[in-house]
Amino acid sequence: MMSKVVTTDDSEHYQWGGVCDGWHLVATSNMSVIQERVPPGAQEVRHFHHFSEQFFYILQGCAQLELAGEVLSLAAGQGVHVSAKTPHQLKNVSSEVLYMLVISTPPSHGDRQVLE
């Protein structure tokens, strides 16, 4: 199989939370890599994944990530691993747009349990 260079321009796009954008850069049965755009003040619902573990990596901006009650602040060039079954919630509490990668294995779509 030949490798393919991917960009957000040619990747499947979706919206979440009414104002956030996601692009599926890699979508296989074993792995998901998504680039997300989160505007100031936006956040996801608190949730966990039964099987998926994730890695959040900040490309630009700052994120606040609550992990099982611990609040972490992440800046560009920083990332954090979230194990399966760990409650978490990402927020953009800054005044600038947040761009990040979310890497999940196995893919997390359909494996989310909302806690709110």
Side-chain angles (χ1 to χ4, degrees):
M1 180 172 123
M2 289 188 55
S3 296
K4 177 185 171 196
V5 174
V6 297
T7 69
T8 55
D9 292 333
D10 60 10
S11 297
E12 179 187 345
H13 172 260
Y14 67 96
Q15 287 194 310
W16 61 270
V19 295
C20 300
D21 294 291
W23 293 268
H24 289 277
L25 302 176
V26 176
T28 70
S29 60
N30 295 317
M31 181 175 67
S32 167
V33 178
I34 298 171
Q35 181 173 323
E36 294 191 351
R37 177 189 166 281
V38 183
Q43 65 183 29
E44 62 181 355
V45 297
R46 191 164 189 269
H47 66 282
F48 71 91
H49 300 280
H50 292 278
F51 304 105
S52 297
E53 57 183 299
Q54 298 183 303
F55 184 74
F56 291 81
Y57 184 79
I58 309 306
L59 299 170
Q60 180 181 328
C62 299
Q64 183 181 81
L65 185 64
E66 181 267 320
L67 289 173
E70 180 183 2
V71 178
L72 303 174
S73 294
L74 301 169
Q78 295 181 319
V80 66
H81 173 250
V82 179
S83 299
K85 297 182 176 55
T86 302
H88 60 281
Q89 181 180 27
L90 180 122
K91 300 178 182 180
N92 181 354
V93 297
S94 76
S95 60
E96 63 180 286
V97 176
L98 165 65
Y99 289 91
M100 65 181 179
L101 294 177
V102 181
I103 301 158
S104 305
T105 182
S108 62
H109 287 80
D111 180 34
R112 184 170 83 162
Q113 178 71 49
V114 174
L115 295 171
E116 293 181 340

